[in-house]
Amino acid sequence: MTLRRIASVIGLPAENVAEYERLHAEVWPEVLARISASNVTTYSIFRHGDLLFSYLEYVGDDYEADMAAMAADPATQRWWAICEPLQRPVADRAPGDWWKQLPEVFHAADSDPTLERQRSDV
């Protein structure tokens, strides 16, 4: 089992911001349980203007199977049916994707000895 970090973006028109944020202030427990059952240990969504940025950490052994299980979950399907009409996919996303996955260009981990040395110097 290895950690996989995934970042994605999608549009959110200004007229949908309040409703989207209201929904995400009270995510359904069944949806949260399915996220965890699909081996996602960290999941965050940030907003900058009309763009949403999501970040998740996956710790399972079969990402595609775990995401398929999430997509097949009835509660998650109902949640997506409410959230997706509020979103606007970006034009250059991969065929079949709703959110556009982003390449990772940098990562610093706590286990990096350089970071540990810098923290101890402060």
Side-chain angles (χ1 to χ4, degrees):
M1 176 173 26
T2 58
L3 175 68
R4 181 172 173 182
R5 292 176 301 279
I6 299 165
S8 305
V9 293
I10 197 164
L12 182 69
E15 64 270 17
N16 297 339
V17 168
E19 178 63 4
Y20 194 85
E21 291 182 357
R22 183 192 68 76
L23 287 167
H24 284 80
E26 297 181 13
V27 176
W28 303 341
E30 307 93 332
V31 172
L32 296 173
R34 180 67 253 176
I35 290 169
S36 180
S38 290
N39 294 302
V40 174
T41 59
T42 298
Y43 184 38
S44 298
I45 300 175
F46 302 86
R47 183 178 63 81
H48 176 70
D50 64 353
L51 192 66
L52 295 173
F53 169 81
S54 74
Y55 171 79
L56 66 87
E57 292 180 350
Y58 174 78
V59 295
D61 295 318
D62 190 342
Y63 178 77
E64 287 72 23
D66 282 331
M67 294 305 104
M70 187 180 302
D73 176 64
T76 300
Q77 289 175 356
R78 289 191 306 276
W79 178 258
W80 288 349
I82 294 168
C83 293
E84 285 180 356
L86 302 173
Q87 302 166 339
R88 296 296 176 271
V90 296
D92 63 340
R93 69 192 187 278
D97 283 354
W98 187 249
W99 288 68
K100 175 187 174 60
Q101 286 199 16
L102 304 175
E104 183 176 278
V105 296
F106 175 76
H107 175 76
D110 283 342
S111 60
D112 181 336
T114 305
L115 292 176
E116 290 174 11
R117 187 171 53 251
Q118 289 173 349
R119 276 196 292 268
S120 67
D121 293 341
V122 177

